[in-house]
Each structure stands twice: as structure tokens, then as C-alpha cells.
Amino acid sequence: MRARPSPMAGSLGPMLLVALLAALLYWPLMLAVNVGAAQRTLDSGAVLDCQTALSCATRLRNPVLPAPAQLGNSLRAMSVPPLAPTSMPYNTLVTAGETLVGLLIAVVLGVGLAVALVASRAFERVTLPWLIASQTVPVIALAPMLAVVLGQYGVQGWLPKALIAAYIAFFPVAVGVAAGLRSPDPMQEDLLTTYRASGWQTFWTLRLPASVPFLFTSLKVGATAALIGSIVAEISTISFSGLGKMLAENSRASDTLALWVIMLYGAGLGIALVAVLGMVERWVTPWQAGQSR
Amino acid sequence: MGDTVAGRAVTLGRGPAGRWPGLGGWLTLGLGVALLLSAVWTVWGFALDSVPPERRGLSVVLLVVGLAGGISGLARIARRTAGLVPALLAALLTLIAVEALLRAYGVPPGLIPTPTRVLTALATSRAVLLGDARVTFVQEALVGYLFGAGAGILVALAAVRFPFLERGALPYAGLFSSIPIVALAPVIVKAFGLEWTSKAIIVGITVFFPVVVNVVRGLQSASPLLLDLMRTYAVTPAASFRLVRVPSALPFLFNALKIGSTLALIGAIVGEFFGTTGQGLGFRIQIEAGRFNLDIVWAAIVIASVLGIAFYGAVSWLEARFTGWHARRR
């Protein structure tokens, strides 16, 4: 499992310094990669409000790397009014909603499958190789297909996106929870046997609580995957809102600045999802606090 | 899938694994497969929507009975057989059942193609698909993967050598790995052009972050006791790095490489959704899905899946070779 170090590990000073360094390096890098295109624009005789290639490098309409001011302007232009159908906060919320519903479906199905896997050795032997194989399959390739099939059966709107997100997040959750259900110490199981606990009671009092930390670890992996899933689903289905629709639209229109803004929002959403899951994790399993698996 | 029934049916007994399975399971499975095949045969060769209702009814009855027999036989076999055999048998059952179901109800191939149609598409357009696979896998995924992993290892070494970097830059690596790569892909394709290099760069970035995070954690997981021991023996720092830190980092490195092998193909395919020079599995999937040539789309998905599994398998094989002492513990 991929584990992330806590971003607040008492290293705020170095982190800020690195951010500052990156910001300082960004400016010359941006000039260097844009100056060629700026020169070409000048040579073509386009009317710009700048004279030298160097000063034009920060004003290109489609820069390779945008100047901070350009990015800021686009960010502001695309963020107001926040809840208009063409603005970023609204579209980000749409994608976030699809991803969260998808995660919810993934948890229900994943826990169910994990219980079946742990309950039956034969079921595990039949399905586990395919579960592992499906994790190595580029599931993204399936998203356009699922979108077509679901669309033909009248499943439209946000639901197919949530289902595709669920499909992608489902396997990490199932595998993680199955590992969690198996995690209790044989000693603890023996103790419960001594108490003459039934299999059901062992499951309910020992196995299920033991699987919760595993659930959260795999949910954090699944959240990023589910977000990718819902964005890809928006790209490859008919959609009227969402980050994926904005990406597809602006990629077709070659609006690089808009793509950068969408990328920032996508990054923010990904980080926010993982952070929210981390908060829920700390609230649900306080005994695991600060312990990254 | 009806596999849950099988799962519930066998919770009671658990036979010993590895022994030659009883004949009863195989016979029941064989009977089930025969019934499923006859279910396919009943509706074989009819055009869409022209399956006579009584044929369809017969086929569905055969399908249900055959599936029940096949699953119960499979459950008995799976109780005694470990390894890939039960899973492969399950796939066979599922494929025949899907074929029968799709044909009985005359589902148009523009919606869900039957497995035989996908196989036909695999055979007829194999030249195109192999060309796509070469671009997507060899050029984009593999090149990007090697560069991303290499850069990740170098950065991880630097982070361990300079604690400032570790405390200042490493948290960002964790942060970056929760960014959806699809949001990154169009920007990179726009910046670096439609050639395969832009996709290789996307793959490299995707692979880079898990490698950095994991290798740093691995290098630091070296037991302080062993490091102290090395110091006691007056081993040079370089040698102690090689003898203690590198071996303890290897399992973490391979874990990241396995995660990366999955991400690499995803990154390449998603990158192709945003523009190519007209080749690649992702491009093929996108364009043929638009034309409703779903049999070719599924064929491309099959190839991508086989490549993904093979890539993962190759990395796992390397892992077993280099960390055999550790892999046993799992």
C-alpha cells in the first residue's frame, strides 16, 4: 500500500523554504521555455502590447508554462461566480460528488466481497487471481466502454460516473479489507474460542474492528483512483459539467491557461479528498492516530 | 456472477489443498460446461432479434442449469485445488455463459460484443493492435517507467543524504501522489506535443512519486542496531550503506515498482486520450468506441490487460529474484 508521510511532521520551515526555492526557479524556467514561442509570435507580426521576446514571454496566449500573473488572472476569471455552470468551483463540486458516491458504493461492495473472500477458501481461489489481475489491468481503458454500455441502458447523468469511480476504487478496498479481516492475531482468535464465541461473534467483535484501519488505508488509495475514474468517465461520456468535461472542452480548444487552472483544481480536490479521509480516519480510529501503515 | 452461491456452499468444509481433486467435481463441471455449450449452440447462427422465442427459452434453461452445475462442480474443485486452475475454469465458465446470454437475447455488438466476436476482432486486426501496443507499451509506458523510476531513486538517495531535502521536499512528494494524473495529462500533451514523448513524460511523473516516497521509507527502515554494528566493525559508511540500507530498501523499492507498473500503462492510455499522432491503445479505444466498433475496443482492452498483467508479473519475478529472502515472509 502506498502510504503518505504526514505533511505536518514538524518540518514547516524546510517545506516553506523549498516552496520558495521552487517559486524562484520557476520564473527563469518559465521565461526560458516561453521565449522561443514569443519570438515566433513577434516574427509573425502579430500585434501584441510588448516589444521584446523576453517581455512577451509572460503574455503568450497559450504558454508552455504560464506566468504567475497569467495563472492568477485565469484562476480568478474561472472561479467567479463560484456556482455558475461554467465556473471551476461548481464543476469541481460535481466531480467531488461523483467521486464520493463512487467511494461509498465501492465501500459497500468491497466490504461485501472481502467478507466473502475471508469466509470461503474456494471463493477466494476462484476469484482472487482475477482480483489481482484486475488491479494490474489499466482500468482506465474500461471507462469509455462502461460509459457506452451504461448509457445504452438509460443510466445517464452523474450515476454512470459514480459507478465507474466505484468500479476503479472497489478492488483496492476489497483487497485491503480482506487483509484487515485476516489481521487479528491467532492468540486473540484463540481467546475468543476459549470464551466459546460463535463465528459470528468473532467476526463482529474482533475481525470487523480490526479491518477498519486497513479500510482507511485502502480508501485513501482508492480515493485518488476514484477521482481519476470519474474524471475519465466525464471525458468519455456525454457530460455537461465536471472537471473532465472542462478538461476535454479546453483541450479541444487548446486553451492552455484553462487547462492549468483545471489541473490546479483537480490537484486541490485530490489532496482535499485524502485529507478529509485522513480526518475521518482519526475520528473513527483514534487509537491509530499518527500511525501510518 | 453467481459465484457467491458457490462461495456460500463451500464454507462448511475445507479440504486439503494440493491433493488430486475428486472425480465428482470434474464430472459436474464437465456436465455444466457441456450444457452451457449446448445453450450457445441452440441460439448460434441467428441474426440479431431473430432468435425464435422457444429457442431462446430453451437456451436460457440450459444456461441456468449449466451454470448451476458448473458452479457447484467448480466449488468442489476449488476446495481442493490451489493455484490458477480454479480461476481459469471460472473465467471459461463466465465467458461461455456470457456468449450464450448475449446471443439468446440478441444484444447488438454495438452495445456488448460476444466473446467470440472479440476473439475474431483480435485475430483480424492484430497487425494494427500490435502496432498500437508497441507504441503504448514499449515507447510510452516502458521508457517513461524506466526514467521515472531512475529519477525517483536518485532523488530518494539525495533526500536521505541531505536531511534538509527530506524534511523540506519529501512532504510534497506525498502530496503530489494524491493528484489525479488525468488532470496533468492534457497540459503535458499541449506542452510537449503529440509525439510519444509527451506520454512518456506523463508516465515518468506518475511513477516518480511513489518511488521517491517508498525508497526513502525503505532506506530509513534499516535497523539502527545493524548500522551500529557496522560502525563497531569500522565498516566504511559507503560499504555499510550498501550492506545494510540498500537491502532493507529493496522490498520497499519493489513495492513502488509494482504500483508504478500499473500506473504506467494507465498514464500512457490516459495521455493518449488527449492527442496522439494516430497510434496507441488509448487512441484506438477512444476512436473505435466513437464508431461503435466495440469488438475492436474490447480486443484493445484485452491486449492492454495482458500487457499490464505481464508487466506486473515481470516486476514481481524480479522482486522474487532480488528479495527472495524477504518475499517468503508475506
Side-chain angles (χ1 to χ4, degrees), chain A residues 132-143:
Chain A
I132 295 169
S134 75
Q135 278 204 307
T136 69
V137 161
V139 268
I140 290 304
L142 284 171

Side-chain angles (χ1 to χ4, degrees), chain B residues 42-43 46-47 49-62 103-106:
Chain B
T42 322
V43 287
F46 286 99
D49 286 336
S50 68
V51 182
E54 71 274 5
R55 283 272 186 138
R56 174 181 303 164
L58 178 62
S59 173
V60 171
V61 170
L62 284 173
R103 282 192 184 270
Y105 283 95

Side-chain angles (χ1 to χ4, degrees), chain A residues 1-19 21 64 116-123 125-127 129-130 132-142 144-145 148-149 152-153 224 227-228 231-232 235-236 247-248 250-256 259-260 262-263 266-271 274 292-293, chain B residues 1 3-4 6-8 10-11 14-15 17 74-75 77-84 86-88 90-91 107 110-112 164-165 167-172 174-175 177-184 186-187 190-191 210 213-214 217 255 259 261-263 265-266 269-270 273-274 285-286 289 292 294 297-298 301 304-305 308-309 312:
Chain A
M1 288 288 134
R2 193 160 22 144
R4 296 175 182 80
S6 159
M8 295 295 154
S11 49
L12 213 56
M15 274 182 78
L16 283 177
L17 207 59
V18 167
L21 209 67
V64 179
L117 279 178
V118 174
S120 157
R121 179 60 52 91
F123 181 71
R125 284 194 185 138
V126 168
T127 51
W130 294 115
I132 295 169
S134 75
Q135 278 204 307
T136 69
V137 161
V139 268
I140 290 304
L142 284 171
M145 285 310 316
V148 170
V149 172
Q152 295 271 346
Y153 284 110
T224 320
L227 179 55
I228 294 175
I231 292 178
V232 170
I235 294 171
S236 45
L247 276 179
N250 288 298
S251 171
R252 233 172 284 132
S254 286
D255 190 344
T256 320
L259 288 177
W260 274 87
I262 300 166
M263 189 177 83
L269 179 55
I271 292 168
V274 174
S292 63
R293 210 174 277 269
Chain B
M1 267 203 279
D3 290 344
T4 17
R8 219 168 292 136
V10 292
T11 34
R14 286 188 175 177
L74 184 61
I77 293 169
R79 239 182 297 164
R80 301 181 172 206
T81 319
L84 284 178
L88 290 176
V107 177
L111 186 52
I112 311 172
F164 168 79
L165 215 56
R167 301 204 309 148
L170 208 59
Y172 291 111
L175 216 56
S177 61
S178 51
I179 291 176
I181 44 160
V182 270
L184 201 80
V187 173
K190 281 279 176 293
V213 173
N214 276 290
R217 290 201 326 143
N255 193 21
I259 294 172
S261 71
T262 319
L263 293 178
L265 266 172
I266 293 178
I269 288 175
V270 169
F273 285 177
F274 290 99
I285 289 168
Q286 191 84 331
F292 288 96
L294 295 199
V297 175
W298 277 107
I301 291 173
S305 312
I309 294 170
Y312 188 88

Side-chain angles (χ1 to χ4, degrees), chain B:
Chain B
M1 267 203 279
D3 290 344
T4 17
V5 184
R8 219 168 292 136
V10 292
T11 34
L12 297 173
R14 286 188 175 177
R19 214 201 316 150
W20 183 248
L23 212 56
W26 286 100
L27 279 177
T28 328
L29 180 71
L31 192 68
V33 169
L35 284 173
L36 281 176
L37 283 175
S38 59
V40 175
W41 184 73
T42 322
V43 287
W44 185 270
F46 286 99
L48 288 178
D49 286 336
S50 68
V51 182
E54 71 274 5
R55 283 272 186 138
R56 174 181 303 164
L58 178 62
S59 173
V60 171
V61 170
L62 284 173
L63 174 78
V64 170
V65 179
L67 212 50
I71 289 170
S72 66
L74 184 61
R76 289 170 70 174
I77 293 169
R79 239 182 297 164
R80 301 181 172 206
T81 319
L84 284 178
V85 178
L88 290 176
L89 290 174
L92 182 75
L93 268 183
T94 315
L95 284 179
I96 305 177
V98 166
E99 181 85 33
L101 203 63
L102 291 179
R103 282 192 184 270
Y105 283 95
V107 177
L111 186 52
I112 311 172
T114 64
T116 47
R117 283 208 182 90
V118 175
L119 270 181
T120 320
L122 257 179
T124 50
S125 44
R126 62 177 179 278
V128 177
L129 288 173
L130 280 180
D132 290 336
R134 187 181 54 79
V135 172
T136 302
F137 184 68
V138 181
Q139 292 190 322
E140 297 171 359
L142 212 55
V143 171
Y145 180 83
L146 292 177
F147 274 94
I153 293 173
L154 289 182
V155 169
L157 288 177
V160 171
R161 177 70 185 74
F162 305 105
F164 168 79
L165 215 56
E166 184 204 332
R167 301 204 309 148
L170 208 59
Y172 291 111
L175 216 56
F176 272 106
S177 61
S178 51
I179 291 176
I181 44 160
V182 270
L184 201 80
V187 173
I188 292 176
V189 172
K190 281 279 176 293
F192 292 96
L194 302 180
E195 297 290 319
W196 61 268
T197 34
S198 62
K199 265 72 78 181
I201 291 171
I202 297 171
V203 172
I205 293 175
T206 344
V207 175
F208 176 76
F209 291 109
V211 169
V212 173
V213 173
N214 276 290
V215 172
V216 169
R217 290 201 326 143
L219 288 172
Q220 285 170 344
S221 74
S223 144
L225 217 67
L226 289 179
L227 288 173
D228 278 349
L229 188 67
M230 289 290 136
R231 209 166 301 138
T232 326
Y233 288 161
V235 175
T236 61
S240 108
F241 186 87
R242 187 166 46 82
L243 289 171
V244 177
R245 283 201 192 268
V246 171
S248 58
L250 275 184
F252 287 83
L253 170 67
F254 275 107
N255 193 21
L257 287 182
K258 283 198 284 189
I259 294 172
S261 71
T262 319
L263 293 178
L265 266 172
I266 293 178
I269 288 175
V270 169
E272 287 172 4
F273 285 177
F274 290 99
T276 52
T277 47
Q279 253 197 328
L281 289 173
F283 168 78
R284 196 67 53 198
I285 289 168
Q286 191 84 331
I287 199 130
E288 298 292 347
R291 292 180 190 152
F292 288 96
N293 284 336
L294 295 199
D295 44 356
I296 299 182
V297 175
W298 277 107
I301 291 173
V302 168
I303 290 187
S305 312
V306 169
L307 284 176
I309 294 170
F311 196 7
Y312 188 88
V315 178
S316 302
W317 180 78
L318 282 179
E319 179 185 33
R321 276 212 59 173
F322 284 100
T323 64
W325 45 271
H326 183 270
R328 287 282 138 249
R329 269 180 25 200
R330 275 180 229 173

Side-chain angles (χ1 to χ4, degrees), chain A residues 159-232:
Chain A
L159 190 58
K161 284 96 175 176
L163 285 178
I164 290 167
Y167 174 75
I168 291 179
F170 158 71
F171 292 120
V173 171
V175 173
V177 173
L181 289 174
R182 290 220 178 83
S183 67
D185 212 302
M187 286 248 287
Q188 294 169 313
E189 286 172 42
D190 285 348
L191 184 67
L192 279 175
T193 314
T194 326
Y195 289 160
R196 218 160 157 266
S198 67
W200 182 245
Q201 283 170 325
T202 312
F203 176 80
W204 203 244
T205 56
L206 177 63
R207 291 188 184 277
L208 206 60
S211 74
V212 174
F214 287 81
L215 171 69
F216 276 104
T217 310
S218 37
L219 261 186
K220 282 190 214 162
V221 175
T224 320
L227 179 55
I228 294 175
S230 49
I231 292 178
V232 170

